[in-house]
């Protein structure tokens, strides 16, 4: 049977790095096994629906090279399927109508907890079907049968849930609209999914979904639950801290390889993370059994480091189209040269565009540069530099040093500030060598004239 996996995001807001990992591991698994990746948008929760989120997801998958082979399917367009499934279960007596109100459920839960029992549904409507309920709203509840469920998880090994872990659970509302866990299982069955790869936060849904497969008379997929992701403090990665916007990162100069490698490191021990790999390279080695069970720590600086290394290795080639996209041109200077020099000096990816901008044109000093240039000693350094600017870098340094006695930071910082309007940027000698004496003279004069005016 050929492998069929799915990525099933709920479009409820910003992307989380955990979702991205789920998508990536599904892609790697599909490639490794010659299978098919299906994209399914789980958009039945209209209250939490964010119309932009689906576009963000599709965009991220496409631009990172994860893609999908079938879909996107939208659950909101498949409601008949879930309604039919509820009807089938109802006809077989496997679901029943539950008219309990929120208040009743709440006091049942409180009573169970007070008695030291797990807060599961009491089963009231199962045993005593209500009469005379008129058109009161209800939910369809699945009859669990109160028995333990075990399964062999591809990552976690044997997992057993005792019957005490769940009670009869709702699958749909009176109008037939499905609850998340149910729609997901019906779709997995209908789409003939062979392997479900998803985050560990869904682990406790699995026994319930396995019961649903059995009740629907269809074979269940194999499950693989990926470890939780934690922050620096070891706490579950919040929505905010885990938010990731792949499109924005790509626009900033991150390469897809760095992002997917950094994300793959969240649990997969099959790579060491010293170099960025592309999806095909990873897929040849991917083994879901080599995914760790212990929590993985999200480390964004690691992704950044991978990217800076890759930028240097490739001579900044990927920056050239990025400059064009940002409308950056460099007069007579070849963008390829700027890209190489920028890639060679950035310590963080988000410096690439600001550094390149310093080759493009003179910039008005930012606050830090302005404060530094307000110092009369700095002024002396810059004026001496202007006198010698035709002679190139060494002559300029020599002139400033001999005329002012400044050295080290007191010498280089004012020069950099005067030339670029910034205190950090590309290598100073590279700037001199690349800009040429006319542009250098223009920039230094601009600074000097600002003082004189
Ligand atoms: N829609 C669910 C989520 O975004 C995933 C459900 C599943 O993978 O079974 O968390």
């Amino acid at each position: 049977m050929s492998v069929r996996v799915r990525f099933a995001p709920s479009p409820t807001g910003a992307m989380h790095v955990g979702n991205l990992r789920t998508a990536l591991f599904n892609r790697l698994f599909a490639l490794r096994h010659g299978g098919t990746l299906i994209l399914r948008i789980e958009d039945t929760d209209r209250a939490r629906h964010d119309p932009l989120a689906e576009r963000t997801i599709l965009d991220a998958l496409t631009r990172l090279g994860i893609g999908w082979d079938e879909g996107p399917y939208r659950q909101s367009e498949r409601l008949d399927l879930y309604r039919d499934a509820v009807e089938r279960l109802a006809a077989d007596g496997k679901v029943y109508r539950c008219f309990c109100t929120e208040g009743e459920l709440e006091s049942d839960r409180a009573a169970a907890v007070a008695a030291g029992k797990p807060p599961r549904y009491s089963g009231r409507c199962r045993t005593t079907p209500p009469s005379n309920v008129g058109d009161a709203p209800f939910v369809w509840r699945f009859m669990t049968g109160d028995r333990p469920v075990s399964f062999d998880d591809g990552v976690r090994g044997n997992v057993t849930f005792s019957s005490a872990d769940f009670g009869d659970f709702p699958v749909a509302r009176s109008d037939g609209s499905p609850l998340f866990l149910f729609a997901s299982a019906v779709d997995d069955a209908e789409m003939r999914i062979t392997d479900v790869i998803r985050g560990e936060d869904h682990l406790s849904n699995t026994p319930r979904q396995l019961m649903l497969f059995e009740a629907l008379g269809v074979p269940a997929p194999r499950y693989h639950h990926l470890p939780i992701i934690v922050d620096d403090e070891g706490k579950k990665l919040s929505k905010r801290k885990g938010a990731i916007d792949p499109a924005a990162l790509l626009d900033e100069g991150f390469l897809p390889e760095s992002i997917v490698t950094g994300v793959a490191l969240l649990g997969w021990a099959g790579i060491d993370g010293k170099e960025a790999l592309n999806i095909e390279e990873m897929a040849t080695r991917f083994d879901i059994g080599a995914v760790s069970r212990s929590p993985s720590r999200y480390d964004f600086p690691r992704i950044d480091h991978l990217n800076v290394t890759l930028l240097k290795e490739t001579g900044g080639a990927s920056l050239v189209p990025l400059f064009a996209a940002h409308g950056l041109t460099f007069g007579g200077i070849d963008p390829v040269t700027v890209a190489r020099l920028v890639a060679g000096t950035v310590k963080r990816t988000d410096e690439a565009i600001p550094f390149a901008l310093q080759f493009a044109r003179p910039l008005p000093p930012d606050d830090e540069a302005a404060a530094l240039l307000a110092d009369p000693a700095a002024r002396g350094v810059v004026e001496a530099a202007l006198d010698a600017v035709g002679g190139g870098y060494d002559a300029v340094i020599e002139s400033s040093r001999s005329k002012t006695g400044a050295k080290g930071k007191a010498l280089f910082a004012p020069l950099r500030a005067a030339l670029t309007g910034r205190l950090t940027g590309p290598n100073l000698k590279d700037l001199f060598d690349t800009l040429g004496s006319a542009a250098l003279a223009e920039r230094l004069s601009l600074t000097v004239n600002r003082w004189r005016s």
Side-chain angles (χ1 to χ4, degrees), residues 174 205 222 289 322 331 396:
S174 338
N205 291 333
R222 175 119 204 258
L322 200 64
V396 165

Side-chain angles (χ1 to χ4, degrees), residues 132-181:
N132 290 330
V133 284
D135 51 8
F138 62 88
V139 295
W140 287 104
R141 243 179 226 288
F142 183 79
M143 198 115 56
T144 56
D146 289 334
R147 58 197 164 78
V149 179
S150 295
F151 58 97
D152 181 29
D153 189 284
V155 175
R156 311 183 58 82
N158 194 274
V159 180
T160 302
F161 283 87
S162 88
S163 57
D165 292 326
F166 37 78
D168 292 353
F169 57 91
V171 298
R173 305 179 189 88
S174 338
D175 62 1
S177 63
L179 283 123
F180 144 73
L181 181 147

Side-chain angles (χ1 to χ4, degrees), residues 6 8-10 19 42 180 184 198 202:
R6 74 335 187 251
S10 307
N19 288 114
E42 303 210 318
F180 144 73
S184 199
R198 63 184 179 188
H202 291 293

Side-chain angles (χ1 to χ4, degrees), residues 6-12 19 22 26 40-43 75 180-181 184-185 188 196-199 201-202 205 209 223 225:
R6 74 335 187 251
F7 175 48
S10 307
T12 52
N19 288 114
T22 298
N26 275 286
R40 180 171 82 217
I41 307 292
E42 303 210 318
D43 60 350
Q75 289 189 325
F180 144 73
L181 181 147
S184 199
D188 285 342
V196 170
I197 301 169
R198 63 184 179 188
D201 46 332
H202 291 293
N205 291 333
Q209 290 180 319
Y223 285 88
H225 287 94

